[in-house]
Amino acid sequence: MIKLLQEDRAFKLADIHVGDRLRGYDEDAARGLVTSWAEIGQKDPIDLRWIKRKKRYELLDGRHRIGVAQLRGETTIWAKVWECNDSEAELIEIDGQIGRADLTALDTAVFLAARKRLYLKLHPEMGQGGFRGNQHTGNLVPDIVSFTTSTAQKFGKTERQVRRWLFAGERLGPDEASRLRQAPKPVTMQDLEAISRISSPPDRYDVVNLLANGEAKSAADALRRVKAARGEGPAPKDATDAGYARLSDAWKRANKAARRRFLEEHGTEVWSLLDEMDKGLSE
């Protein structure tokens, strides 16, 4: 169980073991915070973990704050110290990253998938094998819903967003995520979902590489290129593709008043379709 050992106090930077991080350190980002640090000081303490067997303090969350302190020539930094096991330590690090304004869709998806894995490891009773009665309806519902709900509330997201990120993150392999981080342009949520739906491993490999090398503008474009390279040519635009193109174009051209009127008249049907998509992502 996570336990607070020490409240905010100053620690020597030299006594803190940073170690490998889930997210790389960006010195340019740290430099951008130097000015605000000089004006208002350290806003939030970093989080440390005391490892008794190693007799050292290890960083849980706050790598960029340490970077700012180092750039300013500081020798100490304010921190809190926690007692926790390895899984809890990883969960604290992940929670410190999720919800950051500069976090990409890729990292959000990967971190949320890792958070779910750790959450279920720490709370096995919340797995899909366990069921409980809904206090309002009396129906049996999977307790995994609790993870989606609690995560959405914790980070100020919607359950729909959490389900989409999990759908993508849980289907991405570590090598794929690593390659996609090298892409010159951050991959979008639509790219991640498209990659997650590619069932052929060779096709996925080629699509990821095209994006990582900057040779395709989107996952859909990359897949078309992969098929064309095999002599299959571009996939014909079916009725669904054509209908989507017309709807998308009309929505983009409409002003705000027209969009509001459309939703007033067709909102019920739109929400019904979105609920169907949510159920499909959570299955």
Side-chain angles (χ1 to χ4, degrees), residues 80-96:
K80 290 182 179 180
V81 181
W82 303 87
E83 180 181 69
C84 55
N85 60 36
D86 291 344
S87 294
E88 291 166 339
E90 190 175 353
L91 189 62
I92 290 173
E93 183 181 355
I94 289 172
D95 285 0

Side-chain angles (χ1 to χ4, degrees), residues 144-164:
I144 191 60
V145 172
S146 299
F147 170 81
T148 303
T149 302
S150 64
T151 299
Q153 293 173 346
K154 180 178 179 67
F155 300 107
K157 307 297 181 182
T158 67
E159 291 188 34
R160 191 186 316 281
Q161 288 174 312
V162 173
R163 290 194 186 99
R164 290 183 69 196

Side-chain angles (χ1 to χ4, degrees), residues 36-240:
S36 64
W37 189 300
E39 294 175 351
I40 64 175
Q42 182 183 346
K43 185 177 179 181
D44 299 305
I46 64 172
D47 295 293
L48 303 177
R49 176 191 182 192
W50 170 246
I51 308 294
K52 186 175 181 179
R53 67 182 183 276
K54 298 180 181 179
K55 295 183 178 180
R56 72 184 185 192
Y57 292 101
E58 293 188 352
L59 179 66
L60 291 175
D61 180 49
R63 177 64 184 93
H64 282 80
R65 276 165 282 173
I66 286 181
V68 174
Q70 292 171 330
L71 289 170
R72 282 178 45 80
E74 307 281 357
T75 58
T76 62
I77 191 168
W78 286 89
K80 290 182 179 180
V81 181
W82 303 87
E83 180 181 69
C84 55
N85 60 36
D86 291 344
S87 294
E88 291 166 339
E90 190 175 353
L91 189 62
I92 290 173
E93 183 181 355
I94 289 172
D95 285 0
Q97 297 298 323
I98 296 175
R100 290 175 59 98
D102 60 344
L103 201 63
T104 65
L106 172 61
D107 281 334
T108 301
V110 171
F111 288 167
L112 275 178
R115 187 177 198 274
K116 177 181 171 182
R117 171 179 54 78
L118 290 166
Y119 184 89
L120 295 183
K121 182 179 180 180
L122 294 169
H123 305 283
E125 73 279 4
M126 303 297 280
Q128 288 184 330
F131 290 82
R132 62 179 170 84
N134 183 292
Q135 62 178 327
H136 302 294
T137 66
N139 296 327
L140 292 177
V141 295
D143 270 351
I144 191 60
V145 172
S146 299
F147 170 81
T148 303
T149 302
S150 64
T151 299
Q153 293 173 346
K154 180 178 179 67
F155 300 107
K157 307 297 181 182
T158 67
E159 291 188 34
R160 191 186 316 281
Q161 288 174 312
V162 173
R163 290 194 186 99
R164 290 183 69 196
W165 278 316
L166 284 175
F167 175 79
E170 291 183 314
R171 288 162 176 77
L172 276 179
D175 291 344
E176 293 175 327
S178 178
R179 286 289 289 136
L180 289 172
R181 286 193 179 97
Q182 299 171 21
K185 183 181 73 172
V187 295
T188 66
M189 191 68 238
Q190 289 76 13
D191 291 329
L192 295 176
E193 288 177 321
I195 292 170
S196 299
R197 291 189 173 96
I198 300 174
S199 58
S200 167
D203 285 354
R204 282 174 66 106
Y205 177 85
D206 290 339
V207 166
V208 167
N209 272 339
L210 285 172
L211 287 172
N213 295 332
E215 299 174 22
K217 61 183 180 180
S218 67
D221 176 45
L223 186 57
R224 283 193 293 269
R225 291 170 182 265
V226 169
K227 290 182 176 180
R230 290 203 305 256
E232 297 179 9
K237 182 175 287 189
D238 59 18
T240 299

